[in-house]
Structure formats: C-alpha cells, structure tokens
Amino acid sequence: MMALKYNVIVKSSSEKYLKYKVTDLLLFTEFLDKKFNGWLYFNVYDYKTREHLGSFQQTNRPKKRKI
C-alpha cells in the first residue's frame, strides 16, 4: 500500500470546494474529468507538512504522478 503524499483541494464548477487525499496526480486528474467534468483548478499540499506544492488547472494539468 502506498503512503499518502498529498492533500488536494479542488474548486468545482458548481462553486464547491472538495478535499481529497491523493497519491497519484495523473489518476486523480482522470477521476476529476469523469466525476466533476467542469472542475476549475486544484491545489496540492504535502500531507504531513501542509506546505503548498503546486496548483493545476484544466489547461495546466500535471505531467507526472508526483511533484
């Protein structure tokens, strides 16, 4: 089992904020496309330190599984 690496906060098109625990950013982006097609952006934070690591949008997607 993989250890959790990131906390992710998503801004959806319905003006809601959603929070997830994520290990793979590419799989997570696919999940967002299927479940929340109109998602706007998501911010990625380190699971332990809560340090902000990055931000991604529909047009600026993660290119790797990890930051």
Side-chain angles (χ1 to χ4, degrees):
M1 184 173 140
M2 281 182 121
L4 292 174
K5 294 195 176 282
Y6 310 113
N7 280 330
V8 176
I9 299 176
V10 180
K11 173 74 179 249
S12 72
S13 60
S14 62
E15 299 299 316
K16 291 184 180 177
Y17 288 95
L18 310 165
K19 186 175 180 180
Y20 292 94
K21 295 176 181 171
V22 177
T23 55
D24 185 322
L25 295 174
L26 295 179
L27 289 176
F28 180 69
T29 305
E30 288 179 27
F31 164 78
L32 287 179
D33 289 339
K34 290 178 186 174
K35 297 290 184 179
F36 303 98
N37 191 16
W39 63 274
L40 302 174
Y41 64 86
F42 64 89
N43 291 313
V44 181
Y45 301 89
D46 183 270
Y47 182 73
K48 291 182 182 177
T49 66
R50 299 186 180 194
E51 176 186 358
H52 183 257
L53 301 174
S55 184
F56 299 98
Q57 302 169 351
Q58 287 269 4
T59 57
N60 177 28
R61 295 169 173 258
K63 294 177 177 41
K64 297 180 182 179
R65 297 183 186 276
K66 301 176 185 176
I67 294 180

